[in-house]
Amino acid sequence: MNEIEVIKDKENKRKAKIENMKNSFAELVTYQPIPVSKIMGNVPEETKLIILIDIVGFSKFTSRQQLYAVYLLQHYILKKLVKNSLNFANKIIVTDFIPTGDGCYIIANNCKPEVALHFLVSLTGGFQYVKIEDCQNNGLRAAATFGKCIPFLDLARKKNFVGEGMNEASRILSGGQKYLEEIFIKDHPQAGEEEIKAFSKNSLFLAKNLSSSEMLNDYAECYEKLYELDDVTDKHGKKRDVWCLQHIS
C-alpha cells in the first residue's frame, strides 16, 4: 500500500468513526425505554403534603459553611421527625426527601390540615436557634401545600417527583417572600438589601387549603406575626392567597 492509499485509508476510517458517533448519539437522544402513553397511564398521581425548605443566605456561604449548613439541616429535620413519630395524635407520615442544594422538599402522605400545621410550626420555629458558624441571619423559609405529584426515577436512579404540587410549593415560597419583602420596603423605604432579606427569614408560607385563621390562632404563642398575603402572584401571573407565619427571632 503506497503513501496515498494509506492516507485515504485513514481518512475513510475517520469518516466511518464520525458516522458511528453520529448514529450512536441519535440513538441515545431518541431512546425511550417506555412509551410515553404507557408512563402516563401506569404511574399514579397522588395528593401529598409537600413542604419546600430553603436555608436563608445559603448562596453567600463559603463551600465549607454550605456543607455544614446542609448537615445541620439534615440532623435537625431527622430530630423533628423522631419527635413527630412519638406524637400519635398529630403524626404525619413522611415518605420522601428531595434535596435541592440549599434545602429540600419533604413529601408526606395526605393528612388532616391540623396535623400538617402542628408539624410545620414545630419544624420552622426551631431552626433559627441552630447556629451556623460565622454566618449572620441564618434561618429557614418554608412553604407548604397539599398538591398532586407523580413519582419517577431520576438520572441517578433515585426516586423523585414532578407535578402541580411541587410547582405550587416553589411558587408559594418565591411569591410569598417577594410579597413579604414589598411589605417591609413600604414601611422601611431606606432599608438595605440585607435588612430586606433578613425580614423574610424564619417565615412559613402556607397555602390557604392547609389552614384556617382559627387553626392558626391555636399557635399564636409560636410566632411573632401573622400575615394574610392576598393575591401572591408568580412569574406566570397566577394568583393565590397565602398565610405567612413569622417566627420570633
PDB file of all heavy atoms in Angstrom, residues 52-72:
ATOM      1  N   LEU A  52     -41.512  22.643  51.068  1.00  0.00           N
ATOM      2  CA  LEU A  52     -40.252  23.079  50.458  1.00  0.00           C
ATOM      3  C   LEU A  52     -39.502  23.935  51.470  1.00  0.00           C
ATOM      4  O   LEU A  52     -40.039  24.924  51.987  1.00  0.00           O
ATOM      5  CB  LEU A  52     -40.520  23.881  49.185  1.00  0.00           C
ATOM      6  CG  LEU A  52     -39.296  24.520  48.514  1.00  0.00           C
ATOM      7  CD1 LEU A  52     -38.239  23.467  48.167  1.00  0.00           C
ATOM      8  CD2 LEU A  52     -39.709  25.297  47.266  1.00  0.00           C
ATOM      9  N   ILE A  53     -38.276  23.540  51.772  1.00  0.00           N
ATOM     10  CA  ILE A  53     -37.463  24.250  52.761  1.00  0.00           C
ATOM     11  C   ILE A  53     -36.275  24.903  52.078  1.00  0.00           C
ATOM     12  O   ILE A  53     -35.619  24.305  51.234  1.00  0.00           O
ATOM     13  CB  ILE A  53     -36.982  23.276  53.858  1.00  0.00           C
ATOM     14  CG1 ILE A  53     -38.178  22.819  54.685  1.00  0.00           C
ATOM     15  CG2 ILE A  53     -35.936  23.920  54.754  1.00  0.00           C
ATOM     16  CD1 ILE A  53     -37.834  21.863  55.788  1.00  0.00           C
ATOM     17  N   ASP A  54     -36.000  26.146  52.488  1.00  0.00           N
ATOM     18  CA  ASP A  54     -34.920  26.934  51.905  1.00  0.00           C
ATOM     19  C   ASP A  54     -34.074  27.494  53.041  1.00  0.00           C
ATOM     20  O   ASP A  54     -34.609  28.135  53.960  1.00  0.00           O
ATOM     21  CB  ASP A  54     -35.539  28.071  51.072  1.00  0.00           C
ATOM     22  CG  ASP A  54     -34.513  29.105  50.646  1.00  0.00           C
ATOM     23  OD1 ASP A  54     -33.522  28.729  50.007  1.00  0.00           O
ATOM     24  OD2 ASP A  54     -34.716  30.295  50.956  1.00  0.00           O
ATOM     25  N   ILE A  55     -32.761  27.250  53.007  1.00  0.00           N
ATOM     26  CA  ILE A  55     -31.852  27.820  54.011  1.00  0.00           C
ATOM     27  C   ILE A  55     -31.536  29.258  53.601  1.00  0.00           C
ATOM     28  O   ILE A  55     -31.027  29.501  52.507  1.00  0.00           O
ATOM     29  CB  ILE A  55     -30.547  27.008  54.113  1.00  0.00           C
ATOM     30  CG1 ILE A  55     -30.841  25.551  54.486  1.00  0.00           C
ATOM     31  CG2 ILE A  55     -29.610  27.635  55.142  1.00  0.00           C
ATOM     32  CD1 ILE A  55     -29.608  24.653  54.476  1.00  0.00           C
ATOM     33  N   VAL A  56     -31.836  30.190  54.480  1.00  0.00           N
ATOM     34  CA  VAL A  56     -31.635  31.609  54.180  1.00  0.00           C
ATOM     35  C   VAL A  56     -30.144  31.927  54.046  1.00  0.00           C
ATOM     36  O   VAL A  56     -29.328  31.492  54.860  1.00  0.00           O
ATOM     37  CB  VAL A  56     -32.261  32.478  55.292  1.00  0.00           C
ATOM     38  CG1 VAL A  56     -31.961  33.962  55.048  1.00  0.00           C
ATOM     39  CG2 VAL A  56     -33.760  32.253  55.358  1.00  0.00           C
ATOM     40  N   GLY A  57     -29.791  32.681  52.991  1.00  0.00           N
ATOM     41  CA  GLY A  57     -28.423  33.153  52.800  1.00  0.00           C
ATOM     42  C   GLY A  57     -27.444  32.108  52.315  1.00  0.00           C
ATOM     43  O   GLY A  57     -26.233  32.337  52.313  1.00  0.00           O
ATOM     44  N   PHE A  58     -27.951  30.954  51.868  1.00  0.00           N
ATOM     45  CA  PHE A  58     -27.086  29.820  51.516  1.00  0.00           C
ATOM     46  C   PHE A  58     -26.058  30.174  50.450  1.00  0.00           C
ATOM     47  O   PHE A  58     -24.894  29.786  50.540  1.00  0.00           O
ATOM     48  CB  PHE A  58     -27.955  28.655  51.038  1.00  0.00           C
ATOM     49  CG  PHE A  58     -27.218  27.365  50.851  1.00  0.00           C
ATOM     50  CD1 PHE A  58     -26.983  26.514  51.912  1.00  0.00           C
ATOM     51  CD2 PHE A  58     -26.765  26.976  49.590  1.00  0.00           C
ATOM     52  CE1 PHE A  58     -26.316  25.312  51.752  1.00  0.00           C
ATOM     53  CE2 PHE A  58     -26.090  25.782  49.410  1.00  0.00           C
ATOM     54  CZ  PHE A  58     -25.871  24.943  50.497  1.00  0.00           C
ATOM     55  N   SER A  59     -26.469  30.925  49.440  1.00  0.00           N
ATOM     56  CA  SER A  59     -25.563  31.222  48.317  1.00  0.00           C
ATOM     57  C   SER A  59     -24.392  32.119  48.726  1.00  0.00           C
ATOM     58  O   SER A  59     -23.388  32.173  48.018  1.00  0.00           O
ATOM     59  CB  SER A  59     -26.336  31.884  47.172  1.00  0.00           C
ATOM     60  OG  SER A  59     -26.903  33.107  47.597  1.00  0.00           O
ATOM     61  N   LYS A  60     -24.517  32.794  49.861  1.00  0.00           N
ATOM     62  CA  LYS A  60     -23.435  33.671  50.323  1.00  0.00           C
ATOM     63  C   LYS A  60     -22.465  32.949  51.259  1.00  0.00           C
ATOM     64  O   LYS A  60     -21.457  33.518  51.668  1.00  0.00           O
ATOM     65  CB  LYS A  60     -24.015  34.901  51.023  1.00  0.00           C
ATOM     66  CG  LYS A  60     -24.787  35.797  50.065  1.00  0.00           C
ATOM     67  CD  LYS A  60     -25.216  37.087  50.734  1.00  0.00           C
ATOM     68  CE  LYS A  60     -25.918  37.991  49.732  1.00  0.00           C
ATOM     69  NZ  LYS A  60     -26.349  39.259  50.349  1.00  0.00           N
ATOM     70  N   PHE A  61     -22.786  31.696  51.619  1.00  0.00           N
ATOM     71  CA  PHE A  61     -21.898  30.928  52.483  1.00  0.00           C
ATOM     72  C   PHE A  61     -20.667  30.481  51.699  1.00  0.00           C
ATOM     73  O   PHE A  61     -20.714  30.332  50.467  1.00  0.00           O
ATOM     74  CB  PHE A  61     -22.592  29.676  53.026  1.00  0.00           C
ATOM     75  CG  PHE A  61     -23.756  29.950  53.941  1.00  0.00           C
ATOM     76  CD1 PHE A  61     -24.571  28.907  54.354  1.00  0.00           C
ATOM     77  CD2 PHE A  61     -24.049  31.227  54.397  1.00  0.00           C
ATOM     78  CE1 PHE A  61     -25.649  29.126  55.189  1.00  0.00           C
ATOM     79  CE2 PHE A  61     -25.124  31.456  55.226  1.00  0.00           C
ATOM     80  CZ  PHE A  61     -25.937  30.408  55.630  1.00  0.00           C
ATOM     81  N   THR A  62     -19.576  30.233  52.400  1.00  0.00           N
ATOM     82  CA  THR A  62     -18.432  29.569  51.771  1.00  0.00           C
ATOM     83  C   THR A  62     -18.794  28.109  51.534  1.00  0.00           C
ATOM     84  O   THR A  62     -19.803  27.611  52.047  1.00  0.00           O
ATOM     85  CB  THR A  62     -17.194  29.642  52.680  1.00  0.00           C
ATOM     86  OG1 THR A  62     -17.456  28.866  53.868  1.00  0.00           O
ATOM     87  CG2 THR A  62     -16.856  31.071  53.068  1.00  0.00           C
ATOM     88  N   SER A  63     -17.970  27.401  50.778  1.00  0.00           N
ATOM     89  CA  SER A  63     -18.243  25.991  50.490  1.00  0.00           C
ATOM     90  C   SER A  63     -18.351  25.180  51.783  1.00  0.00           C
ATOM     91  O   SER A  63     -19.246  24.330  51.926  1.00  0.00           O
ATOM     92  CB  SER A  63     -17.133  25.404  49.605  1.00  0.00           C
ATOM     93  OG  SER A  63     -17.091  26.070  48.375  1.00  0.00           O
ATOM     94  N   ARG A  64     -17.447  25.432  52.723  1.00  0.00           N
ATOM     95  CA  ARG A  64     -17.464  24.689  53.985  1.00  0.00           C
ATOM     96  C   ARG A  64     -18.696  25.042  54.822  1.00  0.00           C
ATOM     97  O   ARG A  64     -19.283  24.172  55.463  1.00  0.00           O
ATOM     98  CB  ARG A  64     -16.186  24.966  54.783  1.00  0.00           C
ATOM     99  CG  ARG A  64     -14.954  24.331  54.159  1.00  0.00           C
ATOM    100  CD  ARG A  64     -13.732  24.441  55.066  1.00  0.00           C
ATOM    101  NE  ARG A  64     -12.591  23.767  54.475  1.00  0.00           N
ATOM    102  CZ  ARG A  64     -12.379  22.464  54.529  1.00  0.00           C
ATOM    103  NH1 ARG A  64     -13.229  21.684  55.157  1.00  0.00           N
ATOM    104  NH2 ARG A  64     -11.315  21.927  53.963  1.00  0.00           N
ATOM    105  N   GLN A  65     -19.087  26.314  54.804  1.00  0.00           N
ATOM    106  CA  GLN A  65     -20.297  26.715  55.523  1.00  0.00           C
ATOM    107  C   GLN A  65     -21.539  26.070  54.910  1.00  0.00           C
ATOM    108  O   GLN A  65     -22.462  25.661  55.627  1.00  0.00           O
ATOM    109  CB  GLN A  65     -20.430  28.240  55.509  1.00  0.00           C
ATOM    110  CG  GLN A  65     -19.446  28.949  56.424  1.00  0.00           C
ATOM    111  CD  GLN A  65     -19.461  30.447  56.235  1.00  0.00           C
ATOM    112  OE1 GLN A  65     -19.859  30.954  55.176  1.00  0.00           O
ATOM    113  NE2 GLN A  65     -19.049  31.175  57.251  1.00  0.00           N
ATOM    114  N   GLN A  66     -21.565  25.973  53.575  1.00  0.00           N
ATOM    115  CA  GLN A  66     -22.700  25.319  52.915  1.00  0.00           C
ATOM    116  C   GLN A  66     -22.797  23.854  53.314  1.00  0.00           C
ATOM    117  O   GLN A  66     -23.899  23.355  53.611  1.00  0.00           O
ATOM    118  CB  GLN A  66     -22.551  25.443  51.390  1.00  0.00           C
ATOM    119  CG  GLN A  66     -22.796  26.844  50.861  1.00  0.00           C
ATOM    120  CD  GLN A  66     -22.717  26.915  49.348  1.00  0.00           C
ATOM    121  OE1 GLN A  66     -22.371  25.952  48.673  1.00  0.00           O
ATOM    122  NE2 GLN A  66     -23.029  28.072  48.795  1.00  0.00           N
ATOM    123  N   LEU A  67     -21.655  23.173  53.316  1.00  0.00           N
ATOM    124  CA  LEU A  67     -21.649  21.765  53.717  1.00  0.00           C
ATOM    125  C   LEU A  67     -22.134  21.618  55.149  1.00  0.00           C
ATOM    126  O   LEU A  67     -22.955  20.751  55.459  1.00  0.00           O
ATOM    127  CB  LEU A  67     -20.236  21.187  53.566  1.00  0.00           C
ATOM    128  CG  LEU A  67     -20.069  19.710  53.952  1.00  0.00           C
ATOM    129  CD1 LEU A  67     -20.918  18.818  53.062  1.00  0.00           C
ATOM    130  CD2 LEU A  67     -18.601  19.306  53.864  1.00  0.00           C
ATOM    131  N   TYR A  68     -21.627  22.486  56.033  1.00  0.00           N
ATOM    132  CA  TYR A  68     -22.017  22.446  57.437  1.00  0.00           C
ATOM    133  C   TYR A  68     -23.516  22.715  57.583  1.00  0.00           C
ATOM    134  O   TYR A  68     -24.215  22.045  58.360  1.00  0.00           O
ATOM    135  CB  TYR A  68     -21.193  23.492  58.204  1.00  0.00           C
ATOM    136  CG  TYR A  68     -21.401  23.491  59.693  1.00  0.00           C
ATOM    137  CD1 TYR A  68     -21.220  22.340  60.449  1.00  0.00           C
ATOM    138  CD2 TYR A  68     -21.764  24.658  60.357  1.00  0.00           C
ATOM    139  CE1 TYR A  68     -21.403  22.339  61.827  1.00  0.00           C
ATOM    140  CE2 TYR A  68     -21.946  24.669  61.732  1.00  0.00           C
ATOM    141  CZ  TYR A  68     -21.767  23.514  62.453  1.00  0.00           C
ATOM    142  OH  TYR A  68     -21.949  23.520  63.817  1.00  0.00           O
ATOM    143  N   ALA A  69     -24.028  23.694  56.821  1.00  0.00           N
ATOM    144  CA  ALA A  69     -25.447  24.042  56.893  1.00  0.00           C
ATOM    145  C   ALA A  69     -26.329  22.883  56.442  1.00  0.00           C
ATOM    146  O   ALA A  69     -27.369  22.608  57.049  1.00  0.00           O
ATOM    147  CB  ALA A  69     -25.718  25.274  56.026  1.00  0.00           C
ATOM    148  N   VAL A  70     -25.918  22.196  55.380  1.00  0.00           N
ATOM    149  CA  VAL A  70     -26.687  21.052  54.876  1.00  0.00           C
ATOM    150  C   VAL A  70     -26.737  19.936  55.913  1.00  0.00           C
ATOM    151  O   VAL A  70     -27.792  19.342  56.172  1.00  0.00           O
ATOM    152  CB  VAL A  70     -26.085  20.538  53.547  1.00  0.00           C
ATOM    153  CG1 VAL A  70     -26.683  19.196  53.174  1.00  0.00           C
ATOM    154  CG2 VAL A  70     -26.332  21.550  52.430  1.00  0.00           C
ATOM    155  N   TYR A  71     -25.580  19.652  56.536  1.00  0.00           N
ATOM    156  CA  TYR A  71     -25.559  18.615  57.574  1.00  0.00           C
ATOM    157  C   TYR A  71     -26.419  19.022  58.769  1.00  0.00           C
ATOM    158  O   TYR A  71     -27.139  18.200  59.343  1.00  0.00           O
ATOM    159  CB  TYR A  71     -24.127  18.342  58.027  1.00  0.00           C
ATOM    160  CG  TYR A  71     -23.410  17.322  57.183  1.00  0.00           C
ATOM    161  CD1 TYR A  71     -22.285  17.660  56.433  1.00  0.00           C
ATOM    162  CD2 TYR A  71     -23.862  16.006  57.116  1.00  0.00           C
ATOM    163  CE1 TYR A  71     -21.635  16.723  55.644  1.00  0.00           C
ATOM    164  CE2 TYR A  71     -23.216  15.060  56.325  1.00  0.00           C
ATOM    165  CZ  TYR A  71     -22.104  15.422  55.596  1.00  0.00           C
ATOM    166  OH  TYR A  71     -21.469  14.486  54.809  1.00  0.00           O
ATOM    167  N   LEU A  72     -26.346  20.288  59.155  1.00  0.00           N
ATOM    168  CA  LEU A  72     -27.162  20.766  60.268  1.00  0.00           C
ATOM    169  C   LEU A  72     -28.649  20.601  59.967  1.00  0.00           C
ATOM    170  O   LEU A  72     -29.426  20.164  60.825  1.00  0.00           O
ATOM    171  CB  LEU A  72     -26.863  22.244  60.542  1.00  0.00           C
ATOM    172  CG  LEU A  72     -25.693  22.571  61.461  1.00  0.00           C
ATOM    173  CD1 LEU A  72     -25.558  24.085  61.590  1.00  0.00           C
ATOM    174  CD2 LEU A  72     -25.860  21.951  62.835  1.00  0.00           C
TER     175      LEU A  72
END
